[in-house]
Amino acid sequence: MVKAYLRYDQADAFGVVVSSDANICYDNSGKLLVAGALEQLKVWNVKQGRAVHALAPLPSAASGSRAVVTAIACMPNSSSLVAVGYSDGSIKVWDFVEGSCETTLNGHKGAVTTVRYNRASSLLASGSKDTDIIVWDAVGEVGLFRFRGHRDQVTDLVFLERGHRLISCSKDTFVKVWDFDTQSCIQTVVGHRSEVWSIDVGLNETCFVTGSADLELRVYTINNQQYQEEVTIESARAHSRKLECGSLPQNKWEVLRHLGDIKRQSSERIVTLRFNGSGTLLGCQVAGKALELYAVLDRSDVLRRAKRRKSRKKEKALKSGRKESDGNEVSQADFGGIAEVSQFDTADDFVATDHFQLLQILRAKHKIRSFSFSPGHSKKGLLSSIALALHNNSLEVYDVQKENAARVYTIDLAGHRSDVRAAVLSSDSTILMTTSHNSVKIWNPRTCSCLRTMESGYGLCGVLVPGDRHSVVGTKGGSLEIFSITAGEQLKTVEAHSGAIWSLAALPDGSGFVSGSADHDVKFWEYELVQENDNATKQLNVRNTRTLRMAEDVLSVRISLDFKYLAIALLDSTIKVFFVDSLKFFLSLYGHKLPVLCMDISSDGALLVSGSADKNIKIWGMDFGDCHKSIFAHNDSVMAIQFVHNTHYVFSAGKDRLIKYWDADKFELLLTLEGHQAEVWCLAVSSLGDFLISGSHDRSIRRWERTDEPFFIEEEREKRLETLFEAGLDDAHSGMHMSKEDFPEEGTFGVAGKKTQESITAADSIIEALDMAEAEKNRLAMHKVERTDAGKTLVFQPNALLLGLSPSAYVLHAVSSVRPSELEQALLMLPFTDALKLLEYHLEWIPQGNQVELVCRVVSLLLRIHHQQLITTVSARPVLTLLQGILHKGVQTILLPGSDALFKDAGKKLLEIREKHLGEKNKITATQRKQKRQKQSAA
């Protein structure tokens, strides 16, 4: 009989405050801060310091993994909607109040690097590592067009509201201006000597700033002058190429004009440039611990600074005996209206430094990964409030004044500042202890809440003392630190070893533990209560009872539950087994090619499993020391391994970010658990085996729970093969590794969407609906013929799969069920014959006036996709002729004053909503009456 196993799935992930992959963003109220925490989107209440919402997408159907958040943009006109870009190229719009995903936009083949809304919240632009820029209709939830032209990762985007344009920057050192009307690049700004990392535009769209690895900020004026003549795509591209080569003078095609440079204080590259909401401050974040704040001066200050500089220049010229040369007059339009220039003679009278003044440099204790200005009104005397995302997994909020900036809030208790190096569960699995380089944290593994945080040394391992009121941590410095969990403080530090303590193993009787260190010693320790310094209460202490000297560094120690064997893993890649009572040598297990980093002994003492830096796990018999099986388990070093209590099932974790579930009796891989984004350092399995805890270099702690869903080994093996096959196809068609010949033509555009599994399913559903409707029409025609021949009334039995709808209505229902973002790709995959059938159904839909907007969009898409075949196919001409006649009339009927065609479906939906609410109300009323009767009968 085939054996069934129970599946483990990720139940929760905690310990991450903010990850460095994405930016942070305030909501419109300024009270909530939206940040990426690996695959989760967390919404933090700044004052309370707690996460009020945590949103995560469903795992991928193919691999089971979740994509990481890489870009965030809050919708300007909404209090709860936020657009989030992910590492798999998808964009999701979340409503964090409702906790639901409003829409999913698929179009990029690489990770999304930036997303940006326009001020009206009607458009959303996204850039990606695939070098493409996609502009989305945020209301219609569809892609409008795709801009191609950059030759490296797109790093930032910004809208120009007045000119209906978009500006982009990239690691290819270019800044490009895209025009929505012509859907082309109209200007390419060259001159940066390194990658351009961030751009932003001022409040009134009068100045534009770029930041790169250069030592200067480049400032440009924006020419918002509209075109005076008709513009074509070909002419725009030609002018863009000429401007790039410098063969044309400044003219109407030149939207951005270089005003000057601002010398930066830091030599590190720029990460983010942003103006605050009022346009009075410019934040310049570098790839370090500094955030430079510049004041944006008003018109009077700009004039005053220009006059002062001009007078100094004249005085200097008089002293040196030189006279200023006369120059051409400059009009105010040349400076985009930044300042009045009528009093000045030459363009040199205005430079970038006239408009910006260094206010202060905000220095954090750790590297800054992202920052965001608060959109709320500042208090009296404050210029703004700034939130910083730090590299050490924490958030800080500063109040900025003219002279200095004061830190007012810090969010850091919900996670470790660095890697989670050890995880230990209590005997009843109700308490979890984790260690890192400077702290020990106590968690409730069920609720994922942090109960205690205690400062410590670099903790590499630990044990919980029986009773779960104390814990012992082994550190990298060789000391044992004793903590009181109830008091939340460190009680004592014992200098136990002269080298790092790599492993601690609790004795089965609970009287103490064994430690293994890099100083070649294995020491037995015993718990004792000691009264010190005339204190009335006794404190926990540890006492060394026995020491076993080894020839190599000790990397791991384990004791069998029957208290019979002591297993010691050494740096020479061997495992030595000793008798616990006499410390006499018993077995030497050798076979690993690299040092054994972890091991465990089964509950019955029959098996020992070891994991090594050679990527293998070996299963040994404890009776004779023979190797039952050697398995290539991970693609990198195996860092943790543990048996499920009272079974021969094993969990292993490695540097390849994976956790694997094994059957040590059958030597079979059962499951692969994906979720961590970096090396997995530690594992802890509950006493009942119903869940396990893992800690990683990505600072996350994850709980994996055993479900009631059974699975079979053969099915899982087939799934893994399918996943590998699909991954190979994705890599072959991803287009991420392109040669110079593969890059698209400069300034071109294309279809915004991308072929996904959802779009394929949608196309299949439309084809299936067309086939079922065609079959139903044939049945209905045959029924009419039979009824005529029989001369009597015959009852027609409609197909129940059509949901009680007519064939035409059923096809419309199938089309309307496709998400708007997937509709174009679904129609692209329809064969021409099915597309022609779908066009014929429009002859019925348009006169009825049902879902006219959707129907018109489908018609336009089909005509655009199959234009060449339609005009050359004779059978399509009658359909096109009829469509030409009724399409314009149908749309005009909707647009007539007083027409209710747009709201035909609204009445039905309103009635359905009212009936639903009425049913819920009646149900609640009936429940209340029942409870009242029960109380009366009880009384």
Side-chain angles (χ1 to χ4, degrees), residues 199-262:
I199 56 176
D200 204 13
V201 65
L203 179 64
N204 297 321
E205 295 187 2
T206 53
C207 65
F208 173 76
V209 185
T210 65
S212 64
D214 301 341
L215 298 178
E216 304 88 12
L217 293 175
R218 290 181 176 264
V219 182
Y220 297 83
T221 58
I222 301 175
N223 180 15
N224 288 314
Q225 186 179 2
Q226 299 295 326
Y227 296 157
Q228 301 298 326
E229 59 185 37
E230 185 179 358
V231 178
T232 63
I233 296 177
E234 291 74 13
S235 62
R237 290 179 188 163
H239 275 272
S240 178
R241 295 191 192 99
K242 292 180 181 179
L243 280 173
E244 185 175 347
C245 299
S247 59
L248 278 181
Q250 291 184 354
N251 53 28
K252 63 188 176 184
W253 297 96
E254 193 173 5
V255 179
L256 302 178
R257 297 182 182 177
H258 187 220
L259 179 63
D261 298 336
I262 302 174

Coordinates of all heavy atoms in Angstrom, one line a residue, residues 199-262:
I199 N 15.4 60.5 -9.7 CA 15.0 61.8 -10.3 C 13.8 62.2 -9.5 O 13.0 61.4 -8.9 CB 14.7 61.7 -11.8 CG1 13.6 60.6 -12.1 CG2 16.0 61.4 -12.6 CD1 13.2 60.5 -13.5
D200 N 13.5 63.5 -9.6 CA 12.2 64.1 -9.0 C 12.0 65.5 -9.6 O 13.0 66.1 -10.0 CB 12.2 64.1 -7.5 CG 10.8 64.1 -7.0 OD1 9.9 63.8 -7.7 OD2 10.6 64.4 -5.7
V201 N 10.8 65.9 -9.6 CA 10.4 67.2 -10.1 C 9.8 68.0 -9.0 O 9.1 67.5 -8.1 CB 9.4 67.0 -11.3 CG1 8.1 66.4 -10.8 CG2 9.2 68.3 -12.0
G202 N 10.0 69.3 -9.1 CA 9.5 70.2 -8.1 C 7.9 70.3 -8.1 O 7.3 69.8 -9.0
L203 N 7.4 71.1 -7.1 CA 6.0 71.1 -6.9 C 5.3 71.7 -8.1 O 4.3 71.2 -8.6 CB 5.6 71.9 -5.6 CG 4.1 72.1 -5.3 CD1 3.5 70.7 -5.0 CD2 3.9 73.0 -4.1
N204 N 5.8 72.8 -8.6 CA 5.1 73.5 -9.8 C 5.7 73.1 -11.1 O 5.5 73.8 -12.1 CB 5.3 75.0 -9.6 CG 4.5 75.5 -8.4 OD1 3.4 75.0 -8.1 ND2 5.1 76.4 -7.7
E205 N 6.5 72.0 -11.1 CA 7.1 71.5 -12.4 C 8.0 72.5 -13.0 O 7.9 72.7 -14.3 CB 6.0 70.9 -13.3 CG 5.3 69.7 -12.8 CD 4.4 69.1 -13.8 OE1 4.4 69.6 -15.0 OE2 3.7 68.1 -13.5
T206 N 8.7 73.3 -12.2 CA 9.6 74.3 -12.8 C 11.1 73.8 -12.8 O 11.8 74.4 -13.5 CB 9.5 75.6 -12.0 OG1 9.7 75.3 -10.6 CG2 8.1 76.2 -12.2
C207 N 11.4 72.9 -11.9 CA 12.8 72.4 -11.9 C 12.8 70.9 -11.7 O 11.9 70.3 -11.2 CB 13.6 73.1 -10.7 SG 13.0 72.7 -9.1
F208 N 13.8 70.3 -12.2 CA 14.0 68.9 -12.3 C 15.4 68.5 -11.8 O 16.4 69.1 -12.2 CB 13.7 68.4 -13.7 CG 14.0 66.9 -13.9 CD1 13.1 66.0 -13.5 CD2 15.1 66.5 -14.6 CE1 13.3 64.6 -13.7 CE2 15.4 65.2 -14.8 CZ 14.5 64.2 -14.4
V209 N 15.5 67.5 -10.9 CA 16.8 67.2 -10.3 C 17.1 65.7 -10.6 O 16.2 64.9 -10.5 CB 16.8 67.5 -8.8 CG1 18.2 67.2 -8.2 CG2 16.3 68.9 -8.5
T210 N 18.3 65.4 -10.9 CA 18.8 64.1 -11.1 C 19.9 63.7 -10.2 O 20.7 64.6 -9.8 CB 19.2 63.8 -12.5 OG1 20.4 64.6 -12.8 CG2 18.2 64.2 -13.5
G211 N 20.0 62.5 -9.7 CA 21.1 62.1 -8.8 C 21.7 60.8 -9.3 O 21.0 59.9 -9.8
S212 N 23.1 60.8 -9.3 CA 23.8 59.6 -9.8 C 25.0 59.4 -8.9 O 25.0 59.8 -7.7 CB 24.3 59.9 -11.2 OG 25.2 60.9 -11.3
A213 N 26.0 58.6 -9.3 CA 27.2 58.4 -8.6 C 28.2 59.6 -8.7 O 29.2 59.6 -8.1 CB 27.9 57.1 -9.0
D214 N 27.8 60.6 -9.6 CA 28.6 61.8 -9.7 C 28.6 62.6 -8.4 O 27.7 62.4 -7.6 CB 28.2 62.6 -10.8 CG 28.2 61.9 -12.2 OD1 28.9 60.9 -12.2 OD2 27.5 62.3 -13.1
L215 N 29.5 63.4 -8.2 CA 29.6 64.2 -7.0 C 28.7 65.4 -7.0 O 28.8 66.2 -6.1 CB 31.1 64.7 -6.8 CG 32.1 63.6 -6.6 CD1 33.5 64.1 -6.4 CD2 31.7 62.7 -5.4
E216 N 27.9 65.6 -8.0 CA 27.0 66.7 -8.1 C 25.6 66.3 -8.4 O 25.3 65.2 -9.0 CB 27.4 67.7 -9.3 CG 28.9 68.2 -9.2 CD 29.8 67.2 -9.9 OE1 29.3 66.3 -10.6 OE2 31.0 67.4 -9.7
L217 N 24.7 67.1 -7.9 CA 23.3 67.0 -8.3 C 23.1 67.8 -9.6 O 23.5 69.0 -9.6 CB 22.3 67.5 -7.2 CG 22.3 66.7 -5.9 CD1 21.4 67.4 -4.9 CD2 21.7 65.3 -6.2
R218 N 22.4 67.3 -10.6 CA 22.2 68.1 -11.8 C 20.8 68.6 -11.8 O 19.8 67.9 -11.5 CB 22.4 67.2 -13.0 CG 23.8 66.8 -13.3 CD 24.0 66.0 -14.5 NE 25.4 65.7 -14.8 CZ 26.2 66.4 -15.6 NH1 25.7 67.4 -16.3 NH2 27.4 66.1 -15.8
V219 N 20.7 69.9 -12.0 CA 19.4 70.6 -12.0 C 19.0 71.1 -13.4 O 19.9 71.6 -14.1 CB 19.5 71.8 -11.0 CG1 18.1 72.5 -10.9 CG2 19.9 71.4 -9.6
Y220 N 17.8 70.8 -13.8 CA 17.3 71.2 -15.1 C 16.0 72.1 -15.0 O 15.3 71.9 -14.0 CB 17.0 70.0 -15.9 CG 18.1 69.1 -16.2 CD1 18.6 68.1 -15.3 CD2 18.8 69.2 -17.4 CE1 19.6 67.3 -15.6 CE2 19.9 68.3 -17.7 CZ 20.3 67.4 -16.8 OH 21.4 66.6 -17.0
T221 N 15.9 73.0 -15.9 CA 14.6 73.6 -16.0 C 13.7 72.9 -17.0 O 14.2 72.2 -17.9 CB 14.8 75.1 -16.5 OG1 15.4 75.1 -17.8 CG2 15.6 75.9 -15.5
I222 N 12.4 73.0 -16.8 CA 11.4 72.3 -17.6 C 10.7 73.2 -18.6 O 10.1 74.2 -18.1 CB 10.4 71.5 -16.7 CG1 11.1 70.6 -15.8 CG2 9.4 70.8 -17.6 CD1 10.2 69.9 -14.8
N223 N 10.8 72.9 -19.8 CA 10.1 73.7 -20.8 C 8.7 73.1 -21.1 O 8.6 72.1 -21.7 CB 10.9 73.7 -22.2 CG 10.2 74.5 -23.2 OD1 9.3 75.3 -23.0 ND2 10.6 74.3 -24.5
N224 N 7.7 73.8 -20.5 CA 6.3 73.3 -20.6 C 5.6 73.8 -21.8 O 4.4 73.7 -21.9 CB 5.5 73.6 -19.4 CG 5.9 72.8 -18.2 OD1 6.1 71.6 -18.3 ND2 6.2 73.5 -17.0
Q225 N 6.4 74.4 -22.8 CA 5.8 75.0 -24.0 C 5.2 73.9 -24.8 O 5.8 72.8 -25.1 CB 6.9 75.7 -24.7 CG 6.4 76.5 -26.0 CD 7.5 77.2 -26.6 OE1 8.7 77.1 -26.2 NE2 7.2 77.9 -27.7
Q226 N 3.9 74.1 -25.3 CA 3.2 73.1 -26.1 C 3.7 73.2 -27.5 O 4.2 74.2 -28.0 CB 1.7 73.3 -26.0 CG 1.1 73.1 -24.6 CD 1.3 71.7 -24.1 OE1 1.2 70.7 -24.9 NE2 1.5 71.6 -22.8
Y227 N 3.6 72.1 -28.3 CA 4.0 72.0 -29.7 C 3.0 72.9 -30.5 O 1.8 73.0 -30.3 CB 3.9 70.6 -30.2 CG 4.8 69.7 -29.6 CD1 4.6 68.3 -29.6 CD2 6.0 70.1 -28.9 CE1 5.4 67.4 -28.9 CE2 6.8 69.2 -28.3 CZ 6.6 67.9 -28.3 OH 7.4 67.0 -27.7
Q228 N 3.7 73.7 -31.4 CA 2.9 74.6 -32.3 C 2.6 73.9 -33.6 O 1.8 74.5 -34.4 CB 3.7 75.8 -32.5 CG 4.1 76.6 -31.2 CD 2.9 77.1 -30.5 OE1 1.9 77.4 -31.1 NE2 2.9 77.0 -29.2
E229 N 3.1 72.8 -33.9 CA 2.8 72.1 -35.1 C 2.6 70.6 -34.9 O 2.8 70.1 -33.8 CB 4.0 72.3 -36.1 CG 5.3 71.7 -35.6 CD 6.5 72.0 -36.5 OE1 6.6 73.1 -37.1 OE2 7.3 71.1 -36.6
E230 N 2.1 69.9 -35.9 CA 1.7 68.5 -35.7 C 3.0 67.7 -35.5 O 4.0 67.9 -36.2 CB 1.0 68.0 -37.0 CG 0.5 66.6 -36.8 CD -0.3 66.2 -38.0 OE1 -0.4 67.0 -39.0 OE2 -0.7 65.0 -38.1
V231 N 2.9 66.8 -34.6 CA 4.1 66.0 -34.2 C 3.8 64.5 -34.6 O 2.7 64.0 -34.3 CB 4.4 66.1 -32.7 CG1 5.6 65.2 -32.4 CG2 4.7 67.5 -32.3
T232 N 4.7 63.9 -35.3 CA 4.6 62.5 -35.6 C 5.6 61.7 -34.9 O 6.6 62.2 -34.4 CB 4.8 62.3 -37.1 OG1 6.1 62.7 -37.5 CG2 3.8 63.1 -37.9
I233 N 5.4 60.4 -34.8 CA 6.3 59.5 -34.1 C 7.7 59.5 -34.7 O 8.7 59.6 -34.1 CB 5.8 58.1 -34.0 CG1 4.5 58.1 -33.2 CG2 6.8 57.1 -33.4 CD1 3.8 56.7 -33.1
E234 N 7.7 59.5 -36.1 CA 9.0 59.4 -36.8 C 9.8 60.7 -36.6 O 11.0 60.7 -36.3 CB 8.7 59.2 -38.3 CG 8.2 57.8 -38.6 CD 6.8 57.6 -38.3 OE1 6.1 58.6 -38.0 OE2 6.3 56.5 -38.2
S235 N 9.1 61.8 -36.6 CA 9.8 63.1 -36.4 C 10.3 63.2 -35.0 O 11.4 63.8 -34.8 CB 8.9 64.3 -36.8 OG 7.8 64.3 -36.0
A236 N 9.6 62.7 -34.1 CA 10.0 62.8 -32.6 C 11.2 62.0 -32.4 O 12.2 62.4 -31.8 CB 8.9 62.3 -31.7
R237 N 11.3 60.8 -33.0 CA 12.4 59.9 -32.9 C 13.6 60.6 -33.5 O 14.8 60.5 -33.0 CB 12.2 58.6 -33.5 CG 11.1 57.7 -32.7 CD 10.9 56.4 -33.4 NE 9.8 55.7 -32.7 CZ 9.2 54.7 -33.3 NH1 9.5 54.3 -34.5 NH2 8.2 54.0 -32.6
A238 N 13.4 61.1 -34.7 CA 14.6 61.7 -35.4 C 15.1 62.9 -34.6 O 16.3 63.0 -34.5 CB 14.1 62.2 -36.8
H239 N 14.3 63.7 -34.1 CA 14.7 64.9 -33.3 C 15.4 64.4 -32.0 O 16.4 65.0 -31.5 CB 13.6 65.8 -32.9 CG 13.2 66.8 -33.9 ND1 13.8 68.0 -34.0 CD2 12.4 66.7 -35.0 CE1 13.3 68.7 -35.0 NE2 12.5 67.9 -35.7
S240 N 14.9 63.3 -31.4 CA 15.6 62.7 -30.2 C 17.0 62.3 -30.5 O 17.9 62.5 -29.7 CB 14.8 61.6 -29.6 OG 15.4 61.0 -28.5
R241 N 17.2 61.6 -31.7 CA 18.5 61.2 -32.0 C 19.5 62.4 -32.3 O 20.6 62.4 -31.9 CB 18.5 60.3 -33.3 CG 17.7 59.0 -33.1 CD 17.9 58.1 -34.2 NE 17.0 56.9 -34.2 CZ 15.8 56.9 -34.9 NH1 15.5 57.9 -35.7 NH2 15.0 55.9 -34.8
K242 N 18.9 63.4 -32.9 CA 19.8 64.6 -33.2 C 20.1 65.3 -31.9 O 21.3 65.8 -31.8 CB 19.0 65.5 -34.2 CG 18.9 64.9 -35.6 CD 18.2 65.9 -36.5 CE 18.0 65.3 -37.9 NZ 17.3 66.2 -38.8
L243 N 19.2 65.4 -31.0 CA 19.5 66.1 -29.7 C 20.5 65.3 -29.0 O 21.4 65.9 -28.3 CB 18.2 66.2 -28.9 CG 17.3 67.3 -29.3 CD1 16.0 67.2 -28.5 CD2 17.9 68.7 -29.0
E244 N 20.5 64.0 -29.0 CA 21.4 63.1 -28.3 C 22.8 63.4 -28.9 O 23.8 63.4 -28.2 CB 21.0 61.7 -28.5 CG 21.9 60.7 -27.7 CD 21.4 59.3 -27.7 OE1 20.3 59.1 -28.1 OE2 22.2 58.4 -27.3
C245 N 22.9 63.6 -30.2 CA 24.2 63.8 -30.8 C 24.7 65.3 -30.7 O 25.8 65.6 -31.1 CB 24.1 63.4 -32.3 SG 23.8 61.7 -32.6
G246 N 23.8 66.1 -30.3 CA 24.1 67.5 -30.1 C 24.1 68.3 -31.4 O 24.7 69.3 -31.5
S247 N 23.4 67.8 -32.4 CA 23.4 68.5 -33.7 C 22.3 69.5 -33.8 O 22.2 70.2 -34.9 CB 23.2 67.5 -34.8 OG 22.0 66.8 -34.7
L248 N 21.4 69.7 -32.8 CA 20.3 70.7 -32.9 C 20.5 71.7 -31.8 O 20.9 71.3 -30.7 CB 19.0 70.0 -32.8 CG 18.4 69.4 -34.0 CD1 17.0 68.8 -33.7 CD2 18.3 70.4 -35.2
P249 N 20.2 72.9 -32.0 CA 20.2 73.9 -30.9 C 19.0 73.7 -30.0 O 18.1 72.9 -30.3 CB 20.1 75.2 -31.6 CG 19.4 74.9 -32.9 CD 19.8 73.5 -33.3
Q250 N 18.9 74.5 -28.9 CA 17.8 74.4 -28.0 C 16.6 74.9 -28.7 O 16.5 75.9 -29.3 CB 18.1 75.2 -26.7 CG 19.2 74.7 -25.9 CD 19.3 75.5 -24.6 OE1 18.7 76.6 -24.5 NE2 20.2 75.1 -23.7
N251 N 15.5 74.0 -28.6 CA 14.3 74.4 -29.3 C 13.1 73.7 -28.5 O 13.3 73.3 -27.4 CB 14.3 73.9 -30.7 CG 14.6 72.5 -30.9 OD1 14.4 71.7 -30.0 ND2 15.2 72.1 -32.0
K252 N 12.0 73.7 -29.1 CA 10.8 73.2 -28.5 C 10.9 71.7 -28.1 O 10.2 71.2 -27.3 CB 9.5 73.5 -29.3 CG 9.6 72.7 -30.7 CD 8.5 73.1 -31.5 CE 8.6 72.5 -32.9 NZ 7.5 72.9 -33.8
W253 N 11.7 71.0 -28.8 CA 11.9 69.5 -28.5 C 12.7 69.3 -27.2 O 12.6 68.3 -26.7 CB 12.6 68.9 -29.7 CG 11.9 68.9 -31.0 CD1 12.0 69.7 -32.0 CD2 10.9 68.0 -31.4 NE1 11.2 69.5 -33.0 CE2 10.4 68.4 -32.7 CE3 10.2 66.9 -30.8 CZ2 9.4 67.7 -33.3 CZ3 9.2 66.2 -31.5 CH2 8.8 66.6 -32.7
E254 N 13.4 70.3 -26.8 CA 14.2 70.2 -25.6 C 13.4 70.5 -24.4 O 13.3 71.7 -24.0 CB 15.4 71.1 -25.7 CG 16.5 70.8 -24.7 CD 17.8 71.5 -24.9 OE1 17.8 72.4 -25.8 OE2 18.7 71.3 -24.2
V255 N 12.8 69.5 -23.8 CA 11.9 69.7 -22.6 C 12.8 70.1 -21.4 O 12.4 70.9 -20.6 CB 11.1 68.5 -22.3 CG1 10.2 68.6 -21.1 CG2 10.2 68.1 -23.5
L256 N 13.9 69.4 -21.2 CA 14.8 69.6 -20.1 C 16.0 70.4 -20.5 O 16.7 70.1 -21.5 CB 15.3 68.3 -19.5 CG 14.2 67.4 -19.0 CD1 14.7 66.1 -18.5 CD2 13.3 68.0 -17.9
R257 N 16.3 71.5 -19.8 CA 17.5 72.3 -20.1 C 18.4 72.4 -18.9 O 17.9 72.8 -17.8 CB 17.1 73.7 -20.6 CG 16.3 73.7 -21.9 CD 15.9 75.1 -22.3 NE 15.1 75.0 -23.5 CZ 14.6 76.1 -24.1 NH1 14.8 77.3 -23.6 NH2 13.9 76.0 -25.2
H258 N 19.6 72.2 -19.0 CA 20.5 72.1 -17.9 C 20.7 73.5 -17.3 O 21.2 74.4 -18.0 CB 21.9 71.5 -18.4 CG 22.8 71.2 -17.3 ND1 24.2 71.5 -17.3 CD2 22.6 70.8 -16.0 CE1 24.7 71.2 -16.2 NE2 23.8 70.7 -15.4
L259 N 20.4 73.6 -16.0 CA 20.6 74.9 -15.3 C 21.9 75.0 -14.6 O 22.6 76.0 -14.5 CB 19.5 75.1 -14.3 CG 19.5 76.4 -13.5 CD1 19.4 77.6 -14.4 CD2 18.3 76.3 -12.5
G260 N 22.4 73.8 -14.1 CA 23.7 73.8 -13.3 C 23.7 72.7 -12.4 O 22.9 71.8 -12.4
D261 N 24.8 72.6 -11.6 CA 25.1 71.5 -10.7 C 25.2 72.0 -9.3 O 25.5 73.2 -9.0 CB 26.4 70.8 -11.1 CG 26.3 70.2 -12.5 OD1 25.2 69.9 -13.0 OD2 27.4 70.0 -13.1
I262 N 24.9 71.1 -8.4 CA 25.0 71.4 -6.9 C 26.0 70.4 -6.4 O 25.8 69.2 -6.5 CB 23.7 71.3 -6.2 CG1 22.6 72.2 -6.8 CG2 23.8 71.6 -4.7 CD1 21.2 72.0 -6.2

